[in-house]
Amino acid sequence: MLPLSRWPCEARAGLVGVFTDIDDTLTTEGAISPDALQSLADLKAAGYHLVAITGRPVGWSEPFAASWPVDSIVAENGAVALVRSVDGTITKRYQQDAMTRARNFVRMQSVLDRIEREIPGAQRATDSVGRECDIAVDHSEFVQLDDARIAAVVALMKSEGMHATVSSIHVNGWYGEHNKLEGARWIVRELFGRSLDGEMSSWAYVGDSTNDALMFQHFEHSIGVANVRRFEASLTHLPRYVAPSERGAGFAEVAGAILESRAPLDAR
């Protein structure tokens, strides 16, 4: 991971948008920090596309989609997007049809019950009531699970045919081929009618943990806030750059670096 200061000015100047994780990337101690929120507003005012991609549930994300200056929040690791219309209303867009979601929901609740029965101390995340397309087990938000039990949760999810990933606070599991990267590709098609793969070098991604590894792998302009070092040993792919500061302050540093060398609006 190179220091953020090594990010070339000409590369930053060519960006059209930013994808970002939420927990421990925009947030500090569970709430978005004022400097991160102001940075989102500054980026949006400068003409950048902004999409937050999170493992958090769609229900938890709705008030933020309504109030933060972002184009969309893609929740539940790429499964569902919240998009604000011009009149301010929030609409949901799903990657799976209603019948598939209903069938998967029943299967996932059975897996969640099994996890709580079989793995000592494992508990569903407190935001589970807002989840429609995945399940989450708390490991660091309100419950502390050691590495062995986190691994056991992941293994049990996979044994049930689920995809599983570990964020800074939760273990998430789901059925379907979506993930953060597929969610990013999907929302660029949905909102802008474009192919993300054709313009990957024009977007940045900011994250902090192991469930960001796929994004770190595919984005040339991938940046970790400083607390990503907590997961450095377990990340299969590291971000290209790392901000000096942690969490929201680190995101503000990334936004500042982008804005310092932004391209004229008519060049986008």
Side-chain angles (χ1 to χ4, degrees), residues 207-227:
D208 77 295
S209 66
T210 50
N211 74 333
D212 297 310
L214 192 62
M215 302 294 270
F216 293 154
Q217 177 187 2
H218 284 85
F219 280 80
E220 174 185 345
H221 308 298
S222 62
I223 308 98
V225 290
N227 43 297

Side-chain angles (χ1 to χ4, degrees), residues 2-25:
L2 299 172
L4 183 63
S5 60
R6 297 277 301 277
W7 193 8
C9 180
E10 61 273 18
R12 288 177 269 149
L15 295 178
V16 300
V18 178
F19 291 101
T20 180
D21 177 54
I22 293 179
D23 282 300
D24 293 320
T25 300

